[in-house]
Amino acid sequence: MDAIRRIVRMLRMSARASEERLGLSGARLFVLQQLAEAGPCSINQLAERTFTHQSSVSVAVRGLIEAGLASRRPSPVDGRRVEVSLTAEGQKLLRTAPPMAQARLITGLLRLEPDQRAALARGLDALVHELGMEEQTAPLFFEDEAPTKRRQGKRRHEKT
């Protein structure tokens, strides 16, 4: 339990820092940071980079676009493909953004030996099963939580 609490605490503190400093959810900031590292890319590519489902990334990207931090346009290479890219406002925001805990978590997981990752995945899957949570969606961390009343007034980059 202590290990789970430490990980959840790290993620929550990181998300709170993003909201308080930038008025942007931690999940959206994480997607924005991944977009900055990758350059213009598709929603599916962002989903791969964030290790989450395409639909979760799509929701975060929609919020980033509405906030003017990202844009969507046809690919210059393949007009059938849509790419998401940072706007000048998104680049400016990232200059003062705190690093997100999700990146630390992914880095830590990738440093584990393959058999350790597999054992961890099996153990967590078994725990999810015991909790009866198999059917629940797995959005980006804390993205589905509504902001508190106190924080709603601080949102500078998200439209209500």
Side-chain angles (χ1 to χ4, degrees):
M1 278 303 288
D2 283 346
I4 292 172
R5 282 193 284 263
R6 285 182 184 112
I7 293 167
V8 170
R9 181 174 188 266
M10 175 187 74
L11 292 165
R12 186 169 297 284
M13 288 175 64
S14 178
R16 189 175 299 137
S18 172
E19 287 187 29
E20 289 175 355
R21 286 175 58 185
L22 305 172
L24 191 65
S25 77
R28 290 182 185 175
L29 179 57
F30 177 57
V31 170
L32 197 67
Q33 289 173 336
Q34 293 303 304
L35 186 56
E37 285 182 21
C41 60
S42 70
I43 295 288
N44 286 338
Q45 289 170 316
L46 275 174
E48 288 175 18
R49 291 187 63 84
T50 59
F51 291 85
T52 192
H53 193 270
Q54 172 271 337
S55 63
S56 295
V57 172
S58 184
V59 169
V61 166
R62 187 176 326 118
L64 293 171
I65 290 170
E66 289 172 2
L69 301 172
S71 64
R72 198 183 308 240
R73 64 181 173 88
S75 167
V77 176
D78 180 354
R80 297 169 296 174
R81 183 177 160 208
V82 176
E83 291 182 339
V84 180
S85 58
L86 287 177
T87 62
E89 184 71 20
Q91 292 171 351
K92 180 181 173 186
L93 180 128
L94 284 176
R95 286 188 212 113
T96 61
M100 293 309 298
Q102 291 94 318
R104 282 182 61 197
L105 181 60
I106 289 169
T107 299
L109 287 168
L110 292 175
R111 285 184 182 156
L112 294 176
E113 295 295 324
D115 60 329
Q116 290 176 306
R117 276 196 309 272
L120 179 61
R122 282 191 307 275
L124 290 173
D125 283 342
L127 178 59
V128 165
H129 175 75
E130 289 300 321
L131 296 173
M133 299 172 62
E134 303 95 339
E135 299 303 317
Q136 289 190 8
T137 60
L140 290 159
F141 290 108
F142 311 120
E143 182 64 5
D144 60 341
E145 294 183 65
T148 62
K149 295 274 187 204
R150 182 177 65 84
R151 290 194 191 127
Q152 282 178 339
K154 289 189 173 187
R155 294 189 178 267
R156 294 181 300 189
H157 296 284
E158 294 179 326
K159 294 180 182 178
T160 54

